[in-house]
Amino acid sequence: MNRNLKLRYLVPALIAVVTIIYGVVISSINTRDNLRDSNRVTHSRNVLLTLQDTLRYSLDLETGQRGFVIVGEDAYLEPYFSALKKVDDKLAQLADLTKDNSDQQLRIGKIQEVVEQRKSSLAKAIEARRGGGLDAAATQVRIGGGKAQMDRIRQLIDEMKDEELTLLDKRQGKLEASLRRTNLTVAVTGLVAITAGIVGATLLLMFLSARDREERLRIEKEKAEDADRAKSDFLAMMSHEIRTPMNAILGFGELLHDVVETPQEKHFASAILTSGNALLSLINDILDLSKIEAGKLDITPEVVVVTRFAENLETLFSFRAAEKGLSYTIRVAPNVPQRLSFDALRLRQVLVNLIGNAIKFSREGFVHVTISAGPVEPDDGVKLIIEVTDTGIGISDEQISEIFRPFYQVDSHQGRQFQGTGLGLSISRRLVEAMEGEITVESEFGKGSVFRVFLPTRISRRSEETHSSLAEAGASPVDFNLLKPAKILVVDDVPMNRDLIKNYLASSHHSVFEADNGEQAVAVCQKIRPDLVLMDIRMPAMDGREALALLRSREETRHIPLIAVTASSLLNSQAELKAMFDSFADKPINRSKLFLELSKFIPAAEVAAVLPEIQTPYELHSLDPVSAGRDWTELLAALDDLHESVWPDLVKLVPAQATMKFASRLSDLAQQHSCPLLSDHARQLLAAAEMMDFAEAGRLLKSFPEIIAALRASHA
């Protein structure tokens, strides 16, 4: 913009700003003076009111004393005794209010002197009435000078009133003048502000009209970015809406596959499940891409045992590789630390895509995955290096730079032969970049490809392990009767979703109740006290969040476990729901996922009957040489407390969620006191509970007293 034009805008704007600042400063000064003068006016009025009260209480002295003198009953002295204290209080209040006025202070001293004389005369008359009767009291009243004293009190109070009225008139006049000045300043400042606003609006219009082409291009760019974000939000919302009916399609398809008998019917049901899962995968890819573009993708590191992570991936693709006659292996190098901290769910998503592509595009040969690690850094950081090597169709040099572009496929011929959306590699690269890593590719057309993922991770010294990424490995058959009979409330406004859960549990010994909104859910919970609630979030009348708050606010229902079951997780609310509810499961939900959630809160059925007895107790030699002979006093005290308060209920039922918390508590104690024996026991117990191995978890719980005994035997 032209410099002279800018100065022409700036000068009047600067004048207006200075004028407004001046007006604000003057208004502030006048307001301060107004407050001061107002306080002074209020002060004078308080003095006048106190003077009036002083006179009134002085008269109350006379009234109370006169009634007693005439009648002779002590009840008539109540006003007298009450007025004695109040007169003194008011005189003290007057002294404090007029401490900055010497003339008034002098008058108050005289009033106090006369009041004391009057109080003495009244007291003498009262005593005379008690001792000598009415005649003696009358004589004392005549010689006491009561009228003269009261006249003197009235005179002094009137003088003080005149003084305060004079001050009040002056202060009110000054206050009115100050208010007029303030109003004038505010009016002028407001006029200037309005004028400045008009001038500013005019200047703004001139400024906008004078913008050059570069500024207009910047606005167009912002509009394009806003449109792109709106598109991503729309895709996320649509994905959520599509997943709701997908829950019924996949769920009832799974049920149908289990009940049909003929091979043809099995084939039809399998086709429904296969197509449904393919559609769900597409929806998830589109959603992930939209979340990445909208900047709403969260990375959540967790402690992962790398060997188990690799075993899960190997199991996941072994059948598909065997079907195509491919050699499929996953090797973990010896230099990889046992436990690393990274977002296992997102890395698994990347590797599922890379390994899936390698198997899909390989007709023969092998798919080999190698997991290795770089050198350990001083802060326990270590770079994880994952190579996926295949003998597939390969990628030409001119196309290798395009494969990470969204919706891109190598060429139309192969796009028809190998179906897909072209989103997987684009999402994989963005996920790796979101985890501050890097993904590269080397390929030779017709001979195969090597994809490498370089991911910064951190060595974990904790014994806890999270299996959230492993829970989705497959949908192996589950038996809900392995869990103790329970009352389960299903809350969902879609009847098909409720029917799906009912049919999953139809052949089990569990009792299923229904509610189609939050209000009904609260009423049912108060009536039947269910053992667990599966709560949808988006419902009419009262949604899941409101129902949760109401149930948590009532003593009789606050203990009921609440699991959020919703498709809203796709709208980036998963972290919020996990923090609010006891657990979370997104839709579509299958048998395995449902069993996993239920087993967190419903204990195993008759676990004690199937638990093997402990064959070999923990002996002293179970402790390492460094630990033997150490002072375990503090640790043993903590373990004894857990053994008495928590362990008895756990060993009877082996509930998964409570057992995991117990194992985590043991792990913290082991780390705090550097006890390898306890650390190993806690690690095994946590792993068994997370994998829902109730027999192993129960066996380890039963061995807990042996751990305490071994530590006590080695106690120094």
Side-chain angles (χ1 to χ4, degrees):
M1 183 178 291
N2 187 279
R3 181 174 296 179
N4 293 331
L5 186 61
K6 287 185 177 180
L7 290 175
R8 196 161 64 242
Y9 295 159
L10 184 61
V11 171
L14 185 61
I15 293 174
V17 169
V18 171
T19 304
I20 292 173
I21 292 175
Y22 173 77
V24 171
V25 172
I26 296 301
S27 296
S28 299
I29 295 173
N30 288 340
T31 300
R32 183 194 61 190
D33 294 340
N34 292 342
L35 290 174
R36 182 189 60 202
D37 293 338
S38 176
N39 290 335
R40 289 176 176 175
V41 168
T42 302
H43 177 270
S44 294
R45 288 174 177 169
N46 288 338
V47 172
L48 291 172
L49 290 174
T50 307
L51 285 170
Q52 184 176 346
D53 290 342
T54 302
L55 180 60
R56 178 162 58 86
Y57 291 135
S58 298
L59 293 174
D60 286 347
L61 287 173
E62 291 280 345
T63 302
Q65 183 256 13
R66 185 175 303 154
F68 176 76
V69 168
I70 295 173
V71 179
E73 296 181 5
D74 287 346
Y76 284 89
L77 287 177
E78 289 182 7
Y80 169 80
F81 288 117
S82 175
L84 279 177
K85 183 177 185 310
K86 290 179 180 179
V87 166
D88 292 339
D89 290 342
K90 291 300 177 181
L91 289 173
Q93 188 176 349
L94 281 173
D96 182 65
L97 289 172
T98 60
K99 59 186 176 183
D100 57 345
N101 189 324
S102 58
D103 292 338
Q104 295 288 58
Q105 287 283 297
L106 182 62
R107 293 187 183 99
I108 288 173
K110 293 179 180 179
I111 291 175
Q112 289 175 332
E113 182 179 348
V114 177
V115 167
E116 289 300 322
Q117 293 174 0
R118 186 61 193 142
K119 285 162 62 177
S120 177
S121 299
L122 293 174
K124 289 178 180 179
I126 291 171
E127 291 300 322
R129 179 66 173 87
R130 284 193 174 120
L134 181 60
D135 293 338
T139 302
Q140 182 60 42
V141 169
R142 283 195 298 273
I143 66 175
K147 182 178 183 305
Q149 291 169 349
M150 286 303 302
D151 289 343
R152 180 58 176 163
I153 290 173
R154 288 191 181 91
Q155 177 188 355
L156 292 170
I157 288 177
D158 288 342
E159 291 176 1
M160 290 190 69
K161 285 183 178 180
D162 292 340
E163 176 76 14
E164 287 300 326
L165 287 172
T166 302
L167 290 174
L168 180 61
D169 289 340
K170 291 180 180 179
R171 290 168 178 173
Q172 285 181 332
K174 188 176 180 181
L175 176 60
E176 291 172 359
S178 179
L179 288 172
R180 284 194 295 271
R181 288 195 305 271
T182 301
N183 292 337
L184 179 61
T185 303
V186 171
V188 173
T189 304
L191 181 61
V192 172
I194 293 172
T195 304
I198 296 173
V199 173
T202 304
L203 294 178
L204 179 61
L205 292 175
M206 294 174 62
F207 173 76
L208 293 175
S209 64
R211 276 187 164 181
D212 56 14
R213 180 177 175 78
E214 180 182 355
E215 188 67 17
R216 290 195 299 272
L217 289 175
R218 185 186 66 83
I219 294 176
E220 292 301 324
K221 179 183 176 182
E222 290 180 354
K223 289 181 179 179
E225 291 174 349
D226 290 341
D228 189 61
R229 283 192 293 269
K231 176 207 70 175
S232 298
D233 291 342
F234 171 76
L235 288 175
M237 178 63 72
M238 288 305 299
S239 297
H240 164 263
E241 295 302 326
I242 293 172
R243 284 175 71 98
T244 299
M246 286 300 299
N247 183 56
I249 293 172
L250 292 176
F252 284 109
E254 184 182 7
L255 289 171
L256 182 63
H257 184 274
D258 290 343
V259 298
V260 297
E261 297 179 355
T262 68
Q264 186 181 35
E265 291 171 339
K266 289 282 187 183
H267 173 72
F268 291 161
S270 296
I272 294 173
L273 290 174
T274 302
S275 300
N277 282 312
L279 177 59
L280 182 61
S281 178
L282 173 60
I283 294 169
N284 288 338
D285 284 346
I286 295 174
L287 177 69
D288 282 338
L289 183 62
S290 66
K291 289 174 72 175
I292 292 171
E293 291 178 346
K296 296 180 180 179
L297 185 70
D298 294 328
I299 300 300
T300 308
E302 56 182 321
V303 180
V304 180
V305 175
V306 180
T307 53
R308 292 189 180 178
F309 182 78
E311 289 170 0
N312 171 252
L313 289 171
E314 187 170 16
T315 303
L316 187 62
F317 290 100
S318 58
F319 180 75
R320 288 173 55 186
E323 276 189 325
K324 299 188 69 172
L326 299 174
S327 172
Y328 170 57
T329 61
I330 295 183
R331 187 180 70 87
V332 180
N335 67 336
V336 178
Q338 182 182 10
R339 284 184 176 83
L340 292 176
S341 177
F342 56 85
D343 191 328
L345 181 63
R346 294 303 178 185
L347 180 58
R348 179 180 181 274
Q349 186 176 352
V350 171
L351 295 181
V352 164
N353 184 268
L354 296 181
I355 298 172
N357 281 349
I359 294 176
K360 179 169 66 173
F361 291 110
S362 298
R363 297 186 179 91
E364 58 183 14
F366 62 84
V367 174
H368 292 168
V369 182
T370 303
I371 303 177
S372 59
V376 179
E377 299 173 1
D379 61 348
D380 280 347
V382 61
K383 180 167 289 187
L384 199 63
I385 305 169
I386 305 172
E387 292 186 2
V388 180
T389 307
D390 66 68
T391 54
I393 62 176
I395 309 167
S396 63
D397 292 339
E398 60 270 16
Q399 293 174 326
I400 201 167
S401 60
E402 301 291 329
I403 61 173
F404 291 107
R405 188 157 51 88
F407 303 103
Y408 178 82
Q409 292 183 328
V410 174
D411 60 47
S412 59
H413 171 71
Q414 291 175 342
R416 289 191 297 268
Q417 185 177 1
F418 302 101
Q419 297 180 357
T421 63
L423 284 173
L425 288 177
S426 174
I427 293 173
S428 296
R429 184 181 67 174
R430 298 192 187 196
L431 288 175
V432 171
E433 290 175 350
M435 293 184 286
E436 301 181 353
E438 180 186 5
I439 184 170
T440 64
V441 58
E442 295 178 7
S443 185
E444 185 176 351
F445 187 73
K447 293 188 177 181
S449 306
V450 179
F451 285 83
R452 293 184 179 89
V453 176
F454 302 88
L455 186 69
T457 64
R458 188 171 299 279
I459 298 176
S460 176
R461 307 298 182 183
R462 298 165 54 194
S463 62
E464 295 90 346
E465 176 192 355
T466 305
H467 292 276
S468 61
S469 61
L470 309 182
E472 302 173 4
S476 57
V478 295
D479 183 2
F480 291 101
N481 288 328
L482 292 175
L483 303 177
K484 184 180 179 181
K487 293 183 292 185
I488 300 172
L489 173 62
V490 182
V491 187
D492 200 308
D493 61 313
V494 180
M496 283 190 299
N497 291 336
R498 302 198 303 270
D499 289 342
L500 176 62
I501 303 297
K502 285 171 57 181
N503 280 279
Y504 277 152
L505 300 170
S507 60
S508 70
H509 52 211
H510 302 289
S511 302
V512 180
F513 301 85
E514 298 181 64
D516 59 16
N517 59 52
E519 290 180 352
Q520 289 187 14
V522 173
V524 173
C525 284
Q526 289 181 313
K527 182 178 180 180
I528 68 170
R529 302 293 201 284
D531 299 297
L532 184 139
V533 178
L534 300 171
M535 180 78 73
D536 188 29
I537 300 302
R538 301 177 63 181
M539 296 180 292
M542 179 185 290
D543 64 20
R545 291 180 176 86
E546 294 171 330
L548 169 72
L550 199 56
L551 289 171
R552 290 286 188 262
S553 67
R554 299 180 178 180
E555 184 65 32
E556 63 273 17
T557 58
R558 65 174 53 185
H559 68 282
I560 301 175
L562 297 171
I563 300 176
V565 183
T566 178
S568 298
S569 61
L570 296 178
L571 300 177
N572 204 34
S573 61
Q574 181 172 346
E576 176 196 359
L577 293 174
K578 285 183 177 179
M580 295 174 63
F581 286 81
D582 296 297
S583 188
F584 170 89
D586 58 350
K587 296 176 182 176
I589 188 167
N590 55 33
R591 272 198 181 93
S592 297
K593 190 184 295 185
L594 178 61
F595 181 82
L596 178 65
E597 293 303 324
L598 296 183
S599 61
K600 292 179 180 178
F601 304 97
I602 302 176
E606 301 180 1
V607 171
V610 298
L611 294 181
E613 293 297 325
I614 303 300
Q615 299 298 323
T616 305
Y618 287 88
E619 303 291 351
L620 181 59
H621 57 73
S622 300
L623 296 169
D624 61 278
V626 177
S627 300
R630 289 184 54 184
D631 185 357
W632 303 109
T633 303
E634 186 176 347
L635 175 60
L636 284 170
L639 295 179
D640 287 338
D641 180 64
L642 290 174
H643 182 258
E644 294 177 3
S645 59
V646 179
W647 179 81
D649 292 332
L650 289 181
V651 77
K652 292 177 183 177
L653 300 175
V654 196
Q657 193 80 348
T659 302
M660 285 188 279
K661 291 181 180 179
F662 182 74
S664 297
R665 176 59 180 145
L666 295 183
S667 179
D668 292 340
L669 289 172
Q671 185 175 2
Q672 180 182 349
H673 296 279
S674 301
C675 181
L677 176 64
L678 183 61
S679 177
D680 183 64
H681 179 78
R683 177 185 58 78
Q684 295 180 49
L685 179 59
L686 182 62
E690 288 178 335
M691 298 302 290
M692 308 305 159
D693 189 346
F694 298 118
E696 177 65 11
R699 186 190 69 80
L700 290 167
L701 280 173
K702 291 184 69 175
S703 69
F704 180 59
E706 303 294 338
I707 295 287
I708 299 176
L711 290 174
R712 183 165 281 115
S714 69
H715 181 56

